[in-house]
Amino acid sequence: MSEPKSSGSPRRVIPIAAEPQEESIRLYAASKKIYPRSISGVFARWRWGMVFLTQLVFYGLPWIEWGGRQSVLFDLAARRFYLFGLVLYPQDLIYLAGLLVISALALFLFTAVAGRLWCGFACPQTVYTEIFMWVEHKIEGNRNARMRLDGEALSMEKFVKKSFKHIVWIGIAMWTGFTFVGYFTPIRVLGLEFLQTQLGSWEVFWVFFYAFATYGNAGFMREQVCKYMCPYARFQSAMFDADTLVVSYDTQRGEPRAPRGRNVDHKAKGLGDCIDCGLCVQVCPTGIDIRNGLQYECIGCGLCVDACNTVMEKMNYPQGLIRFDTTNGMAHRWSPRQLLRRVLRPRVLIYTAVLGLLVVGMLTSLVVRTPLKVNVVRDRASLARIVEGGRLENVYRLQIMNATEKPQRYRISAEGIPGIAVATDEPVIAVGPAESRYVAVRLQIPYEARPPGSHVVHIGVREEGGSAQVSEKAAFIVPR
Ligand code: SF4
Ligand code: SF4
């Protein structure tokens, strides 16, 4: 074959060696919109039950009054937390830490027993996505109608439906943001301020911030939050073992999969029970195919179980081709009773024991806790001085916090140095319900009761006519 000639000088043809093809890794993959098909069944009902329960608690709690005040209020400005009859001060932060540890342990326990129960049924992301999808379904129609609408050019019908959907979404998101802020500032006052547009800037900011987060996460991000943003999805596998209940496809029973008519004897044809209808994929809120095995995207919602059971019923096949099962259970074809026996394994028992101990410890400590807090601060302006009668005096500032819902009267005492006496303007200090008061306290000792230096004294505060009392350590300075 002759070489092709060009008009200029002949070009040398350099053979190019075939380069090995490098596989490119995409750091960002554009997501395909998922249009989950709605389905009814046991798990769908459980999911809706949890939506109602969690939202009843979330939206309802701040409106309940308790002892003339909002039952649950985290009053950050006043640095006081009210939980029904319980008044907590920043000094009680240990209870918050305890609550967080208990929540984490409970999550470990539930995950070890039944996988991602939290994700599928109670996580706010799941719950709000479910609510937003329900609105979408009601306004735009079923899966096919939604797909068709999104594929169409802009028309009046599309504009009206989309606008209406977004208005409803924004309404829900705003109410959610308002409720959230209502846990940190009295919700009735917040409502009035909203109506009169007299809001403080931080309240407006957080209402809109939380509303925006709800609107964005439940309306647009949806399964992306679970797949890419939630850390729990990544480390949950560390809490799974072969006896953890997870949504599983019974490959042994389902394969080989193939479509067939209802009256076909599929066993005679060597087919499994899966008719390859794809319904389990269409209902999945994260858009995965559980027949490919357990995937980190699976939030354990059980909707594919409902979908497949519907298909099995129509085909007159036994239910449970997709079911909650364990790896061991699936491999050994265990019955539900055998599965249940494996629940009580060492990991679960240890989590339960530690959790039980923590809960009992925390409840006991809450019951026996003294409803009185005292902070002692030395008055740095006057270290020590000699007062009338030749006595030596140190001045302190006491913050007395009444952690009860009733007005209280407290008496102050001191000990630690012979002859020490308390000199205050008020011998008994009155503090209102759930309030705190600063009082100046003067401690006096005989002039030569102690050599120069710092000496430990204890300042006691005792409830008049009650049993609450607190003793705080302080330093008494004797100058040279
Ligand atoms: S695979 Fe099934 S259980 Fe997992 S997220 Fe999808 S529908 Fe829910
Ligand atoms: S719903 Fe059941 S039958 Fe249909 S594809 Fe999924 S596993 Fe197969």
Side-chain angles (χ1 to χ4, degrees):
M1 205 189 342
S2 63
E3 234 177 79
K5 293 221 166 89
S6 69
S7 51
S9 56
R11 232 185 271 152
R12 274 184 67 205
V13 176
I14 303 166
I16 300 169
E19 282 182 12
Q21 289 287 308
E22 275 182 28
E23 201 182 316
S24 63
I25 299 168
R26 297 172 69 179
L27 294 178
Y28 176 77
S31 68
K32 228 174 115 202
K33 186 169 176 187
I34 295 171
Y35 296 87
R37 183 186 286 273
S38 44
I39 189 80
S40 55
V42 176
F43 295 105
R45 280 196 292 278
W46 267 105
R47 269 164 73 82
W48 273 108
M50 288 305 291
V51 168
F52 283 119
L53 185 69
T54 52
Q55 296 320 290
L56 199 69
V57 172
F58 175 69
Y59 290 125
L61 217 47
W63 294 99
I64 297 174
E65 294 275 304
W66 188 276
R69 133 169 357 101
Q70 191 169 317
S71 59
V72 178
L73 179 64
F74 304 104
D75 192 344
L76 295 179
R79 300 205 287 171
R80 234 154 285 173
F81 298 159
Y82 304 102
L83 286 173
F84 296 93
L86 202 66
V87 183
L88 298 174
Y89 283 85
Q91 286 84 345
D92 294 312
L93 215 63
I94 185 77
Y95 295 113
L96 181 65
L99 196 66
L100 290 178
V101 174
I102 287 174
S103 309
L105 263 171
L107 193 64
F108 292 172
L109 174 64
F110 297 140
T111 308
V113 173
R116 294 175 70 178
L117 268 191
W118 164 257
C119 298
F121 294 87
C123 172
Q125 177 61 24
T126 301
V127 167
Y128 287 107
T129 302
E130 191 76 0
I131 296 171
F132 274 50
M133 283 203 303
W134 179 82
V135 171
E136 193 170 62
H137 180 99
K138 288 288 162 204
I139 296 173
E140 292 185 2
N142 63 20
R143 181 174 189 261
N144 291 340
R146 294 200 305 272
M147 287 166 87
R148 203 173 43 245
L149 192 71
D150 279 0
E152 278 172 12
L154 187 62
S155 61
M156 184 48 94
E157 186 204 353
K158 184 169 177 173
F159 177 76
V160 169
K161 282 186 172 174
K162 291 278 175 194
S163 307
F164 186 39
K165 177 182 84 174
H166 284 283
I167 290 169
V168 178
W169 278 3
I170 290 170
I172 298 173
M174 283 299 291
W175 189 249
T176 308
F178 171 77
T179 305
F180 181 73
V181 176
Y183 278 91
F184 298 92
T185 190
I187 198 160
R188 285 178 165 80
V189 179
L190 184 67
L192 276 179
E193 286 176 348
F194 242 104
L195 289 177
Q196 295 162 358
T197 56
Q198 285 179 348
L199 286 172
S201 56
W202 77 267
E203 288 145 341
V204 177
F205 172 78
W206 285 111
V207 168
F208 279 94
F209 179 86
Y210 200 73
F212 177 73
T214 309
Y215 176 66
N217 288 344
F220 301 94
M221 302 289 288
R222 296 187 174 174
E223 79 291 343
Q224 311 272 333
V225 175
C226 312
K227 279 175 162 178
Y228 306 119
M229 290 163 70
C230 176
Y232 176 56
R234 303 286 165 165
F235 69 76
Q236 39 127 0
S237 54
M239 289 175 253
F240 280 19
D241 60 23
D243 291 309
T244 299
L245 277 176
V246 284
V247 175
S248 321
Y249 167 69
D250 191 340
T251 316
Q252 216 174 312
R253 190 185 133 191
E255 301 296 318
R257 65 184 86 154
R260 82 287 308 254
R262 268 181 73 181
N263 300 322
V264 170
D265 182 358
H266 65 292
K267 295 229 165 91
K269 288 190 156 200
L271 293 176
D273 281 358
C274 175
I275 65 166
D276 209 11
C277 61
L279 197 62
C280 50
V281 183
Q282 289 171 20
V283 299
C284 178
T286 63
I288 59 167
D289 187 344
I290 196 65
R291 293 173 299 170
N292 296 335
L294 182 64
Q295 294 141 73
Y296 80 89
E297 292 98 332
C298 174
I299 57 168
C301 65
L303 293 182
C304 53
V305 179
D306 283 342
C308 193
N309 280 344
T310 314
V311 177
M312 294 294 109
E313 208 174 292
K314 280 193 186 138
M315 297 299 290
N316 275 329
Y317 297 169
Q319 295 199 339
L321 176 59
I322 301 178
R323 58 181 182 269
F324 275 91
D325 207 333
T326 67
T327 311
N328 277 337
M330 197 65 97
H332 302 107
R333 320 302 294 172
W334 281 345
S335 65
R337 186 184 285 267
Q338 286 170 304
L339 287 178
L340 214 58
R341 274 209 289 270
R342 295 290 298 179
V343 168
L344 298 178
R345 53 194 188 278
R347 172 195 288 239
V348 175
L349 292 176
I350 290 170
Y351 284 155
T352 312
V354 177
L355 190 62
L357 279 176
L358 271 173
V359 170
V360 171
M362 193 156 137
L363 287 179
T364 313
S365 132
L366 270 173
V367 169
V368 301
R369 103 190 219 287
T370 310
L372 162 67
K373 312 262 166 239
V374 176
N375 266 344
V376 179
V377 185
R378 273 197 57 87
D379 186 349
R380 304 226 169 254
S382 69
L383 268 186
R385 62 187 176 200
I386 297 181
V387 292
E388 217 177 312
R391 291 170 72 83
L392 205 55
E393 182 180 272
N394 276 201
V395 184
Y396 304 82
R397 232 162 92 84
L398 249 64
Q399 187 192 12
I400 302 176
M401 293 165 265
N402 174 7
T404 70
E405 297 279 1
K406 288 189 241 145
Q408 300 288 358
R409 288 159 63 79
Y410 301 104
R411 193 171 284 278
I412 298 169
S413 62
E415 57 185 33
I417 295 176
I420 192 165
V422 180
T424 48
D425 302 332
E426 302 167 72
V428 176
I429 315 292
V431 185
E435 282 182 4
S436 73
R437 254 191 81 182
Y438 284 96
V439 282
V441 173
R442 288 173 283 126
L443 295 191
Q444 294 175 354
I445 62 167
Y447 186 66
E448 281 183 334
R450 281 285 185 266
S454 171
H455 303 277
V456 172
V457 290
H458 289 94
I459 301 177
V461 178
R462 190 171 46 79
E463 181 190 325
E464 284 263 290
S467 59
Q469 65 177 65
V470 167
S471 174
E472 286 289 318
K473 208 161 87 171
F476 192 99
I477 306 294
V478 178
R480 288 178 193 284

